[in-house]
Amino acid sequence: MKYDVVVVGAGPVGSTAARYAAMNGAKVLMIEEHAFIGSPVGCTGLLSTRAVAECELKPSDEFVFNSVRGAFVHAPDGQCLPIDGKQTKAYVVSRKNFDRALAVMAAEEGVELSLRTRAVGLEKPDAEFKKEGQKNPQIKLRVIRNGKPETICTSVVIGSDGVKSRIASYAGLKKPARVLPGIQIEAPYASENSDFVELFPGSFAPGFFAWTVPVNEKISRIGLALEPGLAWKDGQEDCSPLSYLEKLLRSNPHLKARYSGGMLDFVVGGIPIGPQEKTASDGVLLVGDAAGQAKPTSGGGIYTGAFAAKIAGKVAAQAALEGDTSAERLSEYDQLWQKGLGKELEIGMKIHDYIGKLEDRQFNDLIGSLNTPSILNTITEYGDMDHPSILLRKLMFSGNSLRLMKAFGTFLRTLF
């Protein structure tokens, strides 16, 4: 079996990379180790409107359960910061149906799909082959398909296989240095307003935050992610995400009053924080969570991953068809995606690290400082799930800058 491009992992990012490789003339195979597209689920299922648009899908009842226009941010002391975007800002989706819609789009462009196919090894052309200057060197991708070993020959492999990327290991590329463990249940929950998600920063989820995402008025997805190092310092005997979630549900007054008990679904996963400097080597590209391209502020990876996947698919196809799949040729991918996303991810990391170190009393002060009509109006006008730097820049140079400097200290000055 010979292909120009093989994509490992058939999630939204993998399907987008495969589709763009096919659109640029490559013969493409996409492999997925599981038996079904979109299963098991490892995501909150809250996608910004920009993320859905970046995937070139229109919102549809086939995968959209609910639309969200804002957030209620709950301080540890119980005060609430209401952020109202005044219009739809995100969709609560069925990831299973969303992922399958993107896989269908890839198939319609000619991408071949192989389920129950797991990558177990990768063999690159040896040094002698390169010295001879032969064109279009072939990578041998070893897989287990339906329990049987096979070898697939390809010019480029795109690793879209998540935070534990095997392709990164096989290619000698680094994996994300920091991964936040997360947990989520879907459960009966009387949402205060199903047009709003709820966020709970502070010691309930050290280093990140907890959330509720309304599927409808009676059911929500309730979860959290945390920084392991900060959790260990918290003094809690059991530092697992499950332990923190159980503590949140039984001790947070707001959640306790609305959660009816039990669960309808249960999801665990990891969120990569901080992209790798290098995501290309001879014949191999990494994209999405495998490349650490998730947003450090929210953990979302669909918008950033799809943005990078389009570049990866195009660069991989062009390089394969040109017969030059060297690291130098494929480094165009690194340059292009970092040009589009690098600065925002860098700022996002600074925000993540700053917010993660705040104590509960500091969160209380910060949320209280933001809770004024003028600041809330600025947040409504410029708030952006995918580009938080836009809002911070506006807040920094607004008439409220002195008030915010007291809350943020010198942090804002270090961002720009």
Side-chain angles (χ1 to χ4, degrees), residues 343-344 347 350-351 388-397 411-416:
K343 188 63 177 177
E344 199 66 44
I347 292 173
K350 291 181 179 180
I351 296 171
S389 66
I390 295 173
L391 173 62
L392 285 177
R393 193 176 279 109
K394 290 294 181 181
L395 289 172
M396 183 177 178
F397 297 107
F411 170 65
L412 283 175
R413 295 192 187 96
T414 69
L415 287 179
F416 306 107

Side-chain angles (χ1 to χ4, degrees), residues 106-125:
E108 289 173 344
E109 292 293 341
V111 173
E112 296 179 36
L113 174 63
S114 180
L115 299 174
R116 295 191 182 93
T117 305
R118 179 165 57 97
V120 295
L122 184 152
E123 182 181 335
K124 294 184 179 182

